[in-house]
Amino acid sequence: MIQQFDFPVRMLRAEGAIVGESPVWSQREQVLYWVDILKPALHRFDPASGQQRSWTAPAAIGSISLARNGKIITALRSGFHWFDPAEASWTLIAHPEPHIAHNRLNDGKTGPDGAFWAGTMDDRADKQPCASLYRLAPDGSISAHGNGLVVSNGLAWSPDGRTMYHSDSRRAVIYRYDFDAASGTLGPRQVFVQMQPEWGRPDGGAVDAEGNYWGCGITAGRINKFSPQGQLLGYLPLPVSRPTMCAFGGAELKTLYITSLTENMSAEELAREPLAGALFAVDMPVAGTPVAEFGA
């Protein structure tokens, strides 16, 4: 039986983000980093004080990852960049698709191999399957690991690091791959979940310590919980229809942070959803799987 969860959803920031995305918890700082892709901005939110610091990005910022050297890896429209919070500086590492002007980097996350995995998406209204998934290694090299995507999304790893999850939002499918952390290589792409319309399209996701995949159902206003076998176990209704990504954080990794968007919403929709674009938090009964930091 599919369960409807009644965990209380707290609004943390009434940000009105255009496209809030990529929440990343810093265990070292006990703060949450997240982005507004199209503003474009990188935010640092302190749950203890409620204070937020923001930096303007030089281009659309699809996703981020903390790095072991204290800096932040960022996936900008103009390529992978280092961001140094101490100096508020952006430094280009490499661009995986300089020849495809209508694509931009989207969802990304560091895997158990210490590399930053991020995919691209067709940024045109009439989206085509011209996107790919990339691996940025700690030495700065880039390799492609699958193409023919429309909107790459939903990256996450199982607790043992042997399975990678990844979705194509426009195809409404979540994939799984066997993952080799020692070599940073993938097995064949397999369908993990074919989304149903009432579940929403798959957006960002996170995995809990029990191996369940929690994925944002954008357009359906919910977070879906899937078992490691791909069975829908339950869902968490949200006060907004367009959640974009979730991430576990907090001292015990038992807080689920959720971003949302306002992009392309009509005035009538925004009036019905005054919290659209906000940052939310949910106290969870289970901890999340820690996300690795970039670096060898």
Side-chain angles (χ1 to χ4, degrees):
M1 182 175 179
I2 298 172
Q3 183 178 2
Q4 178 176 319
F5 304 117
D6 59 359
F7 313 141
V9 179
R10 294 178 282 123
M11 190 275 292
L12 300 179
R13 295 280 304 185
E15 200 74 30
I18 305 171
V19 183
E21 264 285 4
S22 197
V24 178
W25 178 255
S26 170
Q27 197 69 8
R28 181 170 52 246
E29 299 177 73
Q30 293 291 293
V31 300
L32 184 80
Y33 287 90
W34 64 291
V35 308
D36 185 337
I37 294 178
L38 298 182
K39 193 167 186 178
L42 169 60
H43 304 300
R44 178 188 185 274
F45 175 73
D46 183 345
S49 67
Q51 298 300 305
Q52 180 163 282
R53 183 180 180 187
S54 301
W55 298 271
T56 299
I61 177 169
S63 54
I64 58 173
S65 171
L66 304 182
R68 295 178 184 176
N69 62 7
K71 298 180 182 180
I72 297 173
I73 291 286
T74 64
L76 302 182
R77 175 182 284 278
S78 49
F80 294 111
H81 287 67
W82 284 111
F83 175 69
D84 185 342
E87 300 180 359
S89 62
W90 306 80
T91 305
L92 176 67
I93 300 170
H95 195 329
E97 291 182 346
H99 56 293
I100 311 179
H102 53 73
N103 276 8
R104 69 164 175 82
L105 282 160
N106 196 44
D107 180 270
K109 192 172 289 183
T110 293
D113 56 340
F116 184 55
W117 293 76
T120 53
M121 60 171 280
D122 187 346
D123 209 21
R124 298 171 295 187
D126 181 22
K127 298 187 185 315
Q128 301 298 317
C130 56
S132 299
L133 177 65
Y134 295 97
R135 178 183 185 266
L136 173 67
D139 64 5
S141 62
I142 297 175
S143 53
H145 293 261
N147 53 23
L149 302 166
V150 184
V151 177
S152 178
N153 227 320
L155 286 161
W157 280 263
S158 60
D160 63 7
R162 297 175 63 181
T163 300
M164 187 181 87
Y165 300 100
H166 172 230
S167 65
D168 189 327
S169 293
R170 284 303 175 103
R171 288 199 172 100
V173 63
I174 305 173
Y175 301 110
R176 68 173 302 281
Y177 309 75
D178 292 334
F179 187 79
D180 185 339
S183 61
T185 56
L186 304 178
R189 181 189 296 173
Q190 306 167 52
V191 173
F192 175 61
V193 174
Q194 182 64 59
M195 297 288 284
Q196 303 303 307
E198 64 270 24
W199 304 349
R201 292 202 308 270
D203 210 308
V207 173
D208 67 28
E210 298 173 354
N212 301 300
Y213 182 92
W214 296 78
C216 289
I218 194 166
T219 68
R222 55 195 264 175
I223 306 289
N224 296 298
K225 177 186 179 181
F226 296 101
S227 74
Q229 294 74 40
Q231 177 187 3
L232 179 65
L233 301 178
Y235 65 96
L236 173 64
L238 298 173
V240 293
S241 62
R242 292 168 173 83
T244 52
M245 187 171 177
C246 55
F248 286 92
E252 298 179 345
L253 296 182
K254 294 183 75 172
T255 301
L256 191 69
Y257 291 98
I258 304 163
T259 51
S260 62
L261 61 75
T262 59
E263 183 189 25
N264 295 330
M265 292 182 68
S266 68
E268 292 78 10
E269 289 172 321
L270 291 170
R272 289 195 302 268
E273 296 183 30
L275 296 182
L279 174 68
F280 301 95
V282 180
D283 294 326
M284 301 290 285
V286 63
T289 295
V291 176
E293 293 188 340
F294 179 81

